[in-house]
Amino acid sequence: MICLLFMQTAAAGLMPKTSKLAVLAFRPKQEVYQTWYPLIDYLNRYLGGTSISLEVMNYAELEEAIANDRIDFVMTNPAHYVQMTFRNGLSSPLATLIPMEHGHPISGFGGVIFSLAGRDEIQSLADLKNLTVAAVFTGSLGGFQAQAMELKRLGLSLPGDVRLLETGMPHDTTVHRVLSGEADAGFVRTGVLEAMVAEGVLDITQLKILNLQTARDFPFLLSTQLYPEWPFAAMPHADADLARRVAAALLALPHDGDVAEQIGIHGYTIPQDYEPVRVLLQTLRLPPYDGTPQFTVSDVMSKYGVLLSAAGSMGGVILLLTLWLWLLNHRLKQERLRVLNQSEEQMRLLAALGDGVFELDEARCCIFINPAALTMLGYTEEEVLGKDLHLLFHHSREDGTPISAEECPIIQTFSDGRIRHLDDRFICKDGSGIPVHLTITPVGGAKPREGVVVIFRDNSDRLRLEQELRTQATTDALTGLPNRRQFLKELELEHNRIRRIPGRSAAVLMLDLDDFKSINDQYGHSVGDAVLKHFAQALTEITRSSDRFGRLGGEEFGLLLPDTAIAHACRIAERLCGLISNGQVRMNDLEVSYTVSIGVARLQGTDRSMDAALVRADAALYRAKHAGKNCTKCDTGENPGEVAGFQKLGA
């Protein structure tokens, strides 16, 4: 019993730990789960041996899971992420999401403010004062906070100047509250209205968009400024090595691949700047900044005006300004320290990646390269930083011909801003070349580009495996000759060529070793294998480079002689038959003789398929066996009743 308990405990220790990824649901949970499950499948395949599960949660469920350390990774909206950096100690995100909308990658999102089209008294944001506004939740950046920031700029505060109706997730509920008349206006995340229209549950002409904004290359209705997209972050207790591998997997996710297409995204990029989100939360006094009082001249005068006037307001104002400046300076120091720590964390993450990563500035000079890239290429950091990497290790092809700057895909990305995925070749410091797979991403959306980030992986093992698989699929392992499938493929190609070009001729030979089973039974399979190899070598010696041959199975072989008349093919068969009968296979102290029977037929353009020629050659082989073996029989294909044959050599 003790032994059994020990074995069970040991087995349990070997089971891989499952890490959990939580995704905030801003649409119905089942829809969100189906959307993001392909990412989980991709991460588990990429990481190998590591299991990650997916959980879709609303705000309350996600907060409870974070508080109890029940999740390892989280993907949520930027405002929620900024709160977690303060409350839960999150560092820089692993990556930032790049959605795909209307065929274009989207680098940001915002909010929409709307009312019913028939509400003529509501024409601008100022008209919302003292009205009822529906929103999912005050913690939603796209569903409340971005809109509140726009109202704040006009002097309206929420919820003081409007009556707020919180609907809860999903955003669709907010739209229905406005349509039903329960609310005068509504706030939703960009893209929600268009999604509901596409689903056939909303007629957009029913609504009026307030404070309509335009943003370059942004396809959705918009009432606010744009903010960075959702971050993918690791919780502080998550395994650091796993976090680095997850970051590498996210950055390497092919932007044009099946996984990104299934999810409906463009992919992931290096973490974006979430400072605008922090400024928004601080301006609106939202968590985690809701506990800090804001000292402004307006507040001081409204609360303490009489007292300050009586006591001499100037001294009090100076004191308050001094305190305000001290708090601001203290906060700026903390912010600088936080940004510095995030930058150091990003550098440590990039340095630990197994893939090579380097970044070029707008002058195309290297400003960063990680240790994995230096190891693969054989350079030191001092030899690379500040250099033009195209001239350093991408200047020529494998045959030595130069690659111009215009042909370089990295430099092309500087010009057109496209994200590229391709196989290429880098030149190492010692002059050798390594095949690589590149992912090239521009930094900065408009010209001039701020730079380019390149992620590359050594493709040597993959290419070697592909070649081995091709060899295994087409080659007989024992003799080294093409296998049955490859030989029949060559035969079909030759038959097609004969049908296209009148007057061409070819011959097909079926060859079978005589009494081969007796050799195996008498001497063993190792001697039988030696006989098969000996015969394969004889085939290669007697045939031309243009001839095709292969092992069809067991002791049966096929030979295709392109551009060969039937008479000449029969002479070749006779010569091969004689060569085999006069030779011996020597293995250790043993000498083994064997013979071969051969059937010859012409490959004709009038044949409906190559199988007709194989049937004739096989029938001729049967006649050779019936005639006593160790001989050839030829079928001209012109008159099945007249068979030209060659008797045994020496008969």
Side-chain angles (χ1 to χ4, degrees):
M1 178 63 72
I2 294 176
C3 181
L4 177 59
L5 179 61
F6 176 79
M7 292 175 65
Q8 292 174 339
T9 304
L14 294 175
M15 295 179 64
K17 178 181 179 294
T18 298
S19 298
K20 295 182 179 180
L21 165 64
V23 176
L24 176 64
F26 76 95
R27 297 299 306 278
K29 281 188 178 183
Q30 186 60 34
E31 178 182 336
V32 176
Y33 185 88
Q34 292 175 353
T35 297
W36 290 103
Y37 185 77
L39 177 65
I40 296 299
D41 185 56
Y42 162 79
L43 289 175
N44 288 330
R45 287 188 284 106
Y46 186 99
L47 298 175
T50 300
S51 177
I52 296 181
S53 63
L54 173 64
E55 294 195 14
V56 179
M57 303 179 178
N58 58 34
Y59 277 105
E61 293 168 342
L62 186 54
E63 286 291 319
E64 192 273 335
I66 292 172
N68 292 281
D69 291 340
R70 290 197 291 104
I71 60 171
D72 304 281
F73 300 95
V74 62
M75 190 162 63
T76 184
N77 71 44
H80 191 210
Y81 162 74
V82 171
Q83 294 177 37
M84 289 192 294
T85 62
F86 281 79
R87 292 192 318 227
N88 306 99
L90 264 69
S91 60
S92 175
L94 303 182
T96 293
L97 176 68
I98 307 177
M100 178 69 75
E101 302 292 349
H102 301 298
H104 299 283
I106 302 299
S107 59
F109 75 105
V112 182
I113 307 172
F114 65 96
S115 66
L116 288 176
R119 296 292 296 270
D120 295 336
E121 74 278 16
I122 304 176
Q123 297 296 333
S124 67
L125 298 185
D127 298 329
L128 297 179
K129 187 171 183 178
N130 298 325
L131 297 183
T132 301
V133 176
V136 289
F137 174 61
T138 58
S140 172
L141 175 58
F144 174 80
Q145 295 166 358
Q147 296 89 335
M149 187 69 172
E150 296 300 317
L151 293 175
K152 183 71 173 179
R153 293 191 179 103
L154 294 176
L156 297 178
S157 62
L158 277 75
D161 292 325
V162 300
R163 293 187 295 273
L164 181 62
L165 173 62
E166 292 189 30
T167 65
M169 287 291 188
H171 286 251
D172 307 39
T173 306
T174 298
V175 179
H176 292 305
R177 292 294 178 91
V178 175
L179 292 174
S180 67
E182 297 178 62
D184 302 297
F187 297 164
V188 292
R189 188 186 194 274
T190 52
V192 171
L193 297 181
E194 288 83 356
M196 294 179 68
V197 170
E199 293 166 2
V201 297
L202 174 65
D203 180 359
I204 197 63
T205 61
Q206 297 176 275
L207 303 180
K208 174 195 304 180
I209 308 302
L210 304 178
N211 199 42
L212 185 62
Q213 306 289 310
T214 58
R216 183 179 179 182
D217 295 330
F218 191 75
F220 295 129
L221 296 170
L222 177 67
S223 301
T224 70
Q225 76 173 76
L226 291 175
Y227 295 90
E229 268 292 351
W230 286 28
F232 191 114
M235 301 303 295
H237 63 268
D239 181 74
D241 178 65
L242 176 59
R244 288 191 290 268
R245 293 165 59 207
V246 169
L250 294 173
L251 294 175
L253 176 66
H255 291 183
D256 298 323
D258 293 337
V259 176
E261 183 178 355
Q262 291 173 25
I263 303 174
I265 64 173
H266 188 62
Y268 287 88
T269 188
I270 292 174
Q272 299 298 297
D273 180 15
Y274 290 87
E275 177 63 12
V277 182
R278 188 197 65 77
V279 171
L280 176 148
L281 297 176
Q282 190 175 35
T283 302
L284 298 177
R285 303 186 191 181
L286 292 172
Y289 302 100
D290 53 339
T292 303
Q294 181 182 11
F295 290 93
T296 66
V297 174
S298 176
D299 289 339
V300 172
M301 293 304 297
S302 64
K303 295 181 180 180
Y304 309 107
V306 176
L307 179 62
L308 290 175
S309 298
S313 61
M314 188 59 68
V317 170
I318 293 174
L319 179 62
L320 290 173
L321 287 174
T322 302
L323 179 60
W324 182 79
L325 289 173
W326 181 86
L327 290 173
L328 179 61
N329 184 57
H330 179 69
R331 185 172 295 163
L332 288 174
K333 288 182 179 179
Q334 289 182 324
E335 189 62 25
R336 290 193 195 100
L337 180 61
R338 185 180 69 84
V339 172
L340 178 61
N341 290 337
Q342 287 184 350
S343 299
E344 291 177 351
E345 178 66 21
Q346 291 178 16
M347 291 301 102
R348 287 194 295 270
L349 175 63
L350 292 173
L353 290 178
D355 292 345
V357 181
F358 61 83
E359 182 177 1
L360 308 181
D361 61 14
E362 65 275 6
R364 302 176 185 172
C365 295
C366 181
I367 59 175
F368 170 80
I369 186 166
N370 72 337
L374 294 171
T375 299
M376 283 188 274
L377 297 170
Y379 286 96
T380 64
E381 193 174 51
E382 292 74 17
E383 293 172 319
V384 175
L385 292 181
K387 302 294 175 43
D388 185 333
L389 300 192
H390 174 70
L391 299 178
L392 194 62
F393 52 72
H394 193 239
H395 50 76
S396 61
R397 300 179 178 84
E398 190 170 4
D399 60 4
T401 57
I403 301 175
S404 66
E406 292 74 17
E407 297 175 282
C408 176
I410 300 174
I411 296 177
Q412 288 172 356
T413 294
F414 270 103
S415 175
D416 59 24
R418 289 177 51 204
I419 297 175
R420 287 178 163 83
H421 304 275
L422 69 153
D423 290 332
D424 209 326
R425 176 178 176 271
F426 281 165
I427 303 169
C428 300
K429 182 179 179 180
D430 61 7
S432 62
I434 58 170
V436 293
H437 180 77
L438 300 180
T439 298
I440 309 169
T441 305
V443 178
K447 289 186 178 180
R449 313 289 175 197
E450 297 174 17
V452 163
V453 174
V454 179
I455 303 175
F456 68 94
R457 175 177 299 172
D458 188 342
N459 253 0
S460 302
D461 290 340
R462 194 199 80 186
L463 295 178
R464 182 169 53 252
L465 177 61
E466 289 176 353
Q467 181 57 44
E468 290 176 358
L469 291 175
R470 281 193 295 269
T471 300
Q472 292 175 9
T474 60
T475 306
D476 176 57
L478 177 63
T479 63
L481 298 181
N483 59 19
R484 180 185 186 87
R485 177 184 296 175
Q486 185 64 18
F487 175 76
L488 294 179
K489 180 179 178 181
E490 295 286 350
L491 183 61
E492 184 175 14
L493 290 174
E494 181 63 22
H495 180 244
N496 291 337
R497 187 175 66 159
I498 291 174
R499 295 180 68 179
R500 289 194 309 269
I501 307 174
R504 299 193 71 91
S505 62
V508 181
L509 283 69
M510 297 290 286
L511 310 96
D512 191 87
L513 304 187
D514 297 326
D515 301 318
F516 182 75
K517 183 177 183 302
S518 299
I519 295 175
N520 271 336
D521 294 343
Q522 183 176 356
Y523 301 108
H525 288 283
S526 59
V527 174
D529 290 346
V531 169
L532 293 172
K533 292 178 182 178
H534 179 269
F535 183 69
Q537 181 62 32
L539 276 178
T540 60
E541 291 175 354
I542 198 172
T543 54
R544 304 165 297 182
S545 60
S546 61
D547 298 336
R548 297 290 180 263
F549 41 77
R551 183 184 178 192
L552 305 184
E555 67 273 19
E556 187 178 23
F557 295 80
L559 176 59
L560 170 64
L561 305 176
D563 301 316
T564 304
I566 188 68
H568 183 61
C570 291
R571 288 193 292 272
I572 293 175
E574 181 183 26
R575 184 152 56 95
L576 177 61
C577 195
L579 176 67
I580 295 303
S581 64
N582 291 326
Q584 290 181 323
V585 178
R586 292 179 174 83
M587 187 174 180
N588 298 328
D589 297 330
L590 187 66
E591 294 183 351
V592 178
S593 299
Y594 70 97
T595 59
V596 62
S597 297
I598 305 174
V600 185
R602 188 170 69 173
L603 184 62
Q604 303 175 127
T606 56
D607 290 333
R608 295 186 61 182
S609 70
M610 64 178 183
D611 294 331
L614 289 174
V615 168
R616 292 194 297 271
D618 199 53
L621 172 63
Y622 176 79
R623 289 193 291 273
K625 290 283 189 179
H626 189 69
K629 306 177 184 178
N630 190 23
C631 68
T632 67
K633 290 291 183 178
C634 297
D635 188 338
T636 64
E638 297 174 350
N639 188 341
E642 297 178 3
V643 179
F646 294 89
Q647 300 302 318
K648 288 185 181 179
L649 295 172

